[in-house]
Amino acid sequence: MIFEDIKNPFILSSGPSGNFQELSKIIDLNEMGAITTKTITPEPKEGNPVPRIVNIENGFINSIGLQNPGIDEFVEKELPEIEKYKTKKIISIAGYSPEDFQMMIKKIDDFNIDAYELNFSCPNVNKGGATITQNFDLYKKCIKISKESTEKPIIIKLGYSDRILKLVEIAINEDVKNFTLINTLKGMRFDLETGKPLLKRGIGGVSGSVIKPFALAMVYTVKQNYPEASIIGNGGIFDSDDVLEFKYAGADYFGIGTAVMMDPELPISLKNEWEEKYVL
Amino acid sequence: MIFEDIKNPFILSSGPSGNFQELSKIIDLNEMGAITTKTITPEPKEGNPVPRIVNIENGFINSIGLQNPGIDEFVEKELPEIEKYKTKKIISIAGYSPEDFQMMIKKIDDFNIDAYELNFSCPNVNKGGATITQNFDLYKKCIKISKESTEKPIIIKLGYSDRILKLVEIAINEDVKNFTLINTLKGMRFDLETGKPLLKRGIGGVSGSVIKPFALAMVYTVKQNYPEASIIGNGGIFDSDDVLEFKYAGADYFGIGTAVMMDPELPISLKNEWEEKYVL
Amino acid sequence: MIKGKILEKQIKNEYMYLKVEMNENIHIEPGQFLMLKNDMDKNMAKPFSIMSQDGKEIEFIIKIIGDFTKKLSQKNIHENIYLRGPYGHGFIEKIDKNKKYVLLGGGCGAAPLLHFEKNYPNMVENIKIGFKNSFVENVVPEYKLIFENIEKKTPIDWLKENDFENIISCGPKGMFKALKTMDKNSYVSLEENMGCGIGMCKGCPVKTINGIKMVCKDGPLFKLSEVIL
Amino acid sequence: MIKGKILEKQIKNEYMYLKVEMNENIHIEPGQFLMLKNDMDKNMAKPFSIMSQDGKEIEFIIKIIGDFTKKLSQKNIHENIYLRGPYGHGFIEKIDKNKKYVLLGGGCGAAPLLHFEKNYPNMVENIKIGFKNSFVENVVPEYKLIFENIEKKTPIDWLKENDFENIISCGPKGMFKALKTMDKNSYVSLEENMGCGIGMCKGCPVKTINGIKMVCKDGPLFKLSEVIL
Ligand SMILES: Cc1cc2nc3c(=O)[nH]c(=O)nc-3n(C[C@H](O)[C@H](O)[C@H](O)COP(=O)(O)OP(=O)(O)OC[C@H]3O[C@@H](n4cnc5c(N)ncnc54)[C@H](O)[C@@H]3O)c2cc1C
Ligand SMILES: Cc1cc2nc3c(=O)[nH]c(=O)nc-3n(C[C@H](O)[C@H](O)[C@H](O)COP(=O)(O)OP(=O)(O)OC[C@H]3O[C@@H](n4cnc5c(N)ncnc54)[C@H](O)[C@@H]3O)c2cc1C
Ligand SMILES: Cc1cc2nc3c(=O)[nH]c(=O)nc-3n(C[C@H](O)[C@H](O)[C@H](O)COP(=O)(O)O)c2cc1C
Ligand SMILES: Cc1cc2nc3c(=O)[nH]c(=O)nc-3n(C[C@H](O)[C@H](O)[C@H](O)COP(=O)(O)O)c2cc1C
Ligand code: FES
Ligand code: FES
């Protein structure tokens, strides 16, 4: 298990809830099992041009493009606030090279944080993110160096992939057994009038209820083949039935992404619903 | 373009309409641009155990498992009937090895058929299908030998993949420029009461309207990078708006799969709707 | 697609009675089924037998168990549903017409038995349908029913107490398995998740001693001795 | 989520007027917006301004352009919608309170201007709202309106003919671009596709001379001179 002493298995996933400044005014984040920061990169990133969002039925396509202030401003301005939450704090990081990961971990490892999530699955950037998994050797080195740079747990975040087992195997060979499954899938829609993609960048990442069957398949595949894997199930979790399905698939923790944007109070109400139904 | 003299760009995709015995009693198949057989394999295949089907919102998960009588019975009993249709006839084939593809093509190449679709993307089998693309070299050899075995056009059918461009590049290097995009994505659902997967085999292939954003992204990616590619867009085509989106994404032809199961008359009514709106 | 207007609807617990008027006159043989859609959207159709037909008016008994049936149950009177069919073979095509049959049903699976009894009363020797719930009381004449919770008895128990030879049965798989252990001339109407409903998609196979058949196209009625359950 | 009951609904062509009663009393400042949902399902919420508030009763003018607004337009009177908010800053927080403003609107974007005029009449020097369609005639007093198809004139044309200094504008991007070429003290209320509506998801950025801001959290009103269109 990733965490020995987590309050509950509900985790805010990386991105939709930003770095919690807004959400913490609406709900008490200390009631969550863990919270994950928006992915941080070595340099600041402006993100992609607008429109960055298209709604689809039961889902959402985004091309935010990892907008973030970069590691230095993050450490200076945001991390001190994040440290204060009394819950597990997972820092999501992405880089282009093993050295990028190493450098970022070094800068934050002494803060009051609990784990790293290596984002190898953002579909909305041309370099880094999901592109790293195209190169098994690079992917492996990024994991290896990250593992060597910290005593804290490392979590590998992957997307829907036809090589999911290979990617998991490489991580497990580096003694990293924690996975977040899954990130968004590449998707797009067109404007019927102009013939242009509705997102400025063309392709974005699909999240929300529509991706649940794919996420369940990835979680199940990994857990069936690697029972020792500790898995944060992520993709379309909105209610306790969704949570139950992810549990049956083999998830140990439950990530809440898009649902937080739909209803910022949902993480707490879902956690309560779950505890009333299945825990208490 | 795959075909110089096709009647219209509407193609029955492989599987949902079987080998047309039933459908031909309901609609006039000669009005379609092309029809694709259910994938044929060297040996007969019983297919997977039941339940083979789960409905999801705006979609469908199947684990038919390439049930088919095998190439010999196909040639003897079904092909003579299929030859009679006055439309382009695409034969979908799948095997484990380059020799399998070669053998099957040899057995059917002299019949009155128009093209081969190599199914490298069935998610519902443990060998062959999508598993071949795990091995670039094997994949390449299967294409090469197929190309050498016939003068007829070869179409490569691929699924949603994080290596879609690599798979396309390998085919194009073998001078095969025709692609059907996309097959089903791996997905699953669980029975909330028993905790067991709803499909006996666990994971199945998701098709229907829910996969349209992913299919569009694959078509767009391939066409942007290889404008010379000729593409059968496939995934969630139900109405003329769907067709329009695939056209904008770069598809040259439009495959109709799940929609035929929902309404067997839909291929003709969709073709007519399209022609009234955009052709006549 | 044929349009159907909901004329009557009754719901009790998980059971629903529905009377629908079709905008076309098609003849449905007892045992055949229809593929229903709630809306003209991009969701798949689902198979349902009918309980009776009177011209364009057809009646259903439906168990509300999942997404489709839940949505259907939320439709109001005068709203539309959509349907295509009929599909599959009528019972009459499959059975020996010179015999009389006992019709044995469990739950909503019983709909085609009631339909058969209505259209072919002379071929019916007796009929017993087990229900967990007394909702059907007003819909189905009482003498045909066994309420399993009250009588602590299933149609199979009832059958064991009697001496009948020819059976047509619709219901849960457990019932067929029990029947299989008895030495009778039984026919069973199978249910399987369906895609197309007409035999093309290979979604609804059943193993028989003559190879794999499709429930939708080759059935839904099969000789029990031929089916590998 | 707050529940809202539809009290009144009028549709003409692509425009819809809606009066909704909330089950909670929240105060919405002119310029702030709400995130609306048609149902308690798994679809995302969508941002809408209101045109006026009277206690728990709020009014909208909504253009029917896509899936969400189409579904909303199919709701009947007495049915429920769901909403959360208010989000964003009221205009009053962003503007110089000692000045008087001309309110310049285009289409449904004009809702918050009407709301502002109602709540702060003393701060309004004039108001002109361009509509392609005369539907709003009964909803919005006539003197405020310019029907672009009839008068062959836009609010911008009208502005050019007059000598005003301080402008608050809501409408299409083209209008802001035209305003940008004029030497005025202008504020613009931006629209962008939104996810969360509260600043967390980074879905609704706008480039400003002070870096990237979020329309939902930092706006929706911005000084036009600061915005990079
Ligand atoms: C020929 C035929 C005739 C039928 N006639 C009737 C009828 O008269 N009245 C009636 O109520 N139902 C009938 N059914 C069953 C009916 O089709 C299903 O109950 C319905 O499709 C369920 O849809 P759903 O979306 O509500 O539930 P789903 O979400 O699809 O299913 C809910 C649960 O029921 C199980 N299930 C679904 N379909 C079936 C099935 N066909 N057999 C066994 N288990 C299933 C699923 O595995 C799941 O666990 C018939 C089926 C067939 C094949
Ligand atoms: C702060 C704010 C206040 C708003 N107030 C109102 C209001 O009072 N009345 C009203 O009718 N609308 C208002 N809108 C716009 C409204 O949110 C969109 O029209 C609505 O989300 C469209 O949803 P849809 O699913 O029907 O259409 P979609 O399918 O989402 O969109 C249809 C088309 O419109 C375009 N589009 C979608 N959203 C926007 C947008 N926000 N801006 C520009 N183009 C867009 C899309 O690109 C697409 O081409 C407001 C938006 C914001 C951000
Ligand atoms: C707006 C948005 C922004 C996201 N940003 C990130 C990110 O920065 N890093 C990351 O690893 N995943 C990111 N994700 C992916 C989510 O963390 C999550 O894996 C995915 O959305 C699937 O889960 P869901 O269906 O619950 O949203 C983002 C998703 C959305 C919708
Ligand atoms: C029931 C079913 C059976 C299928 N069988 C095959 C098959 O044998 N060979 C193949 O290449 N694709 C098969 N497919 C995939 C379809 O051809 C198509 O690529 C996919 O379903 C996506 O398109 P759609 O959304 O229009 O169905 C099958 C799909 C379904 C739903
Ligand atoms: S449902 Fe398609 S073959 Fe029976
Ligand atoms: S909508 Fe999420 S940041 Fe504005």
Side-chain angles (χ1 to χ4, degrees), chain D residues 27-204:
Chain D
H27 174 73
I28 305 152
E29 264 298 310
Q32 288 189 303
F33 62 94
L34 300 170
M35 296 296 284
L36 302 194
K37 269 175 69 68
N38 284 312
D39 297 290
M40 286 302 275
D41 58 11
K42 297 173 184 180
N43 280 299
M44 303 300 286
K46 289 272 195 167
F48 291 89
S49 309
I50 63 167
M51 183 171 71
S52 82
Q53 175 172 30
D54 182 3
K56 290 182 180 175
E57 284 181 20
I58 50 180
E59 291 177 304
F60 298 91
I61 344 183
I62 289 176
K63 192 171 177 185
I64 304 164
I65 44 167
D67 285 350
F68 179 87
T69 47
K70 202 190 237 159
K71 268 196 202 152
L72 182 58
S73 72
Q74 285 159 355
K75 290 242 164 189
N76 296 318
I77 288 183
H78 295 311
E79 287 193 297
N80 289 323
I81 60 169
Y82 301 87
L83 53 93
R84 58 186 173 87
Y87 299 126
H89 298 275
F91 291 167
I92 199 77
E93 291 181 51
K94 292 268 197 154
I95 57 178
D96 178 345
K97 292 187 199 63
N98 301 316
K99 292 193 170 134
K100 280 193 156 214
Y101 294 85
V102 167
L103 311 182
L104 218 59
C108 286
L113 298 179
L114 296 164
H115 192 192
F116 184 81
E117 195 213 13
K118 203 167 169 214
N119 290 25
Y120 300 98
N122 296 334
M123 292 180 67
V124 177
E125 190 167 356
N126 208 325
I127 175 165
K128 275 293 167 203
I129 294 166
F131 262 95
K132 292 219 175 74
N133 185 298
S134 57
F135 147 74
V136 284
E137 257 179 331
N138 310 315
V139 179
V140 178
E142 207 178 325
Y143 71 91
K144 300 179 189 172
L145 296 170
I146 296 182
F147 295 120
E148 302 180 9
N149 56 343
I150 299 172
E151 307 187 27
K152 308 267 175 246
K153 195 195 253 190
T154 65
I156 292 284
D157 296 328
W158 172 84
L159 184 65
K160 281 184 184 155
E161 294 162 7
N162 291 276
D163 185 30
F164 296 115
E165 178 56 29
N166 305 304
I167 317 285
I168 300 177
S169 176
C170 288
K173 263 193 189 151
M175 199 162 142
F176 301 158
K177 283 191 180 151
L179 260 184
K180 192 125 196 173
T181 65
M182 296 163 79
D183 185 30
K184 309 270 178 196
N185 173 35
S186 298
Y187 294 85
V188 292
S189 184
L190 302 180
E191 289 193 5
E192 195 48 66
N193 294 359
M194 288 186 179
C196 65
I198 59 175
M200 7 179 242
C201 77
K202 309 292 176 266
C204 64

Side-chain angles (χ1 to χ4, degrees), chain A residues 22 52-53 58 261-262, chain D residues 43 84 193 198 202 217:
Chain A
E22 298 84 11
R52 288 185 177 181
I53 284 177
N58 295 312
M261 291 190 288
M262 183 189 81
Chain D
N43 280 299
R84 58 186 173 87
N193 294 359
I198 59 175
K202 309 292 176 266
K217 184 184 178 185

Side-chain angles (χ1 to χ4, degrees), chain B residues 13-15 38-39 62 66 119 157 182-183 207-208 234-236 257-258:
Chain B
S13 26
S14 177
K38 175 134 188 78
T39 300
N62 87 79
L66 295 187
N119 179 355
K157 182 157 181 184
I182 59 176
N183 212 312
S207 65
N234 197 180
T258 300

Side-chain angles (χ1 to χ4, degrees), chain A residues 134 160 162 186 190 245, chain B residues 134 160 162 186 190 245:
Chain A
Q134 299 289 325
Y160 174 100
D162 42 8
K186 281 189 185 183
F190 287 83
E245 278 196 84
Chain B
Q134 299 288 325
Y160 174 100
D162 42 8
K186 282 189 183 182
F190 288 83
E245 278 195 84

Side-chain angles (χ1 to χ4, degrees), chain A residues 13-16 38-39 60 62 64 66 92 117 119 157 182-184 207-208 211 234-237 255-258 261, chain D residues 201:
Chain A
S13 30
S14 177
K38 175 135 189 74
T39 300
F60 190 77
N62 88 78
I64 309 295
L66 295 187
S92 169
E117 184 171 87
N119 179 355
K157 181 157 182 184
I182 59 174
N183 211 314
T184 56
S207 65
I211 72 166
N234 198 182
I237 294 182
I256 306 174
T258 300
M261 291 190 288
Chain D
C201 77

Side-chain angles (χ1 to χ4, degrees), chain B residues 48-64:
Chain B
N48 292 323
V50 294
R52 288 185 179 181
I53 284 177
V54 185
N55 289 20
I56 58 176
E57 217 172 307
N58 296 312
F60 190 78
I61 318 186
N62 87 79
S63 78
I64 310 296

Side-chain angles (χ1 to χ4, degrees), chain B residues 11 14 21 96 106 133 143-144 155 183 204 214 222 226 241:
Chain B
I11 298 181
S14 177
Q21 293 100 328
Y96 303 145
K106 279 202 179 146
T133 59
I143 296 173
K144 192 187 182 71
I155 306 160
N183 212 312
F214 314 119
V222 171
Y226 296 97
D241 284 353

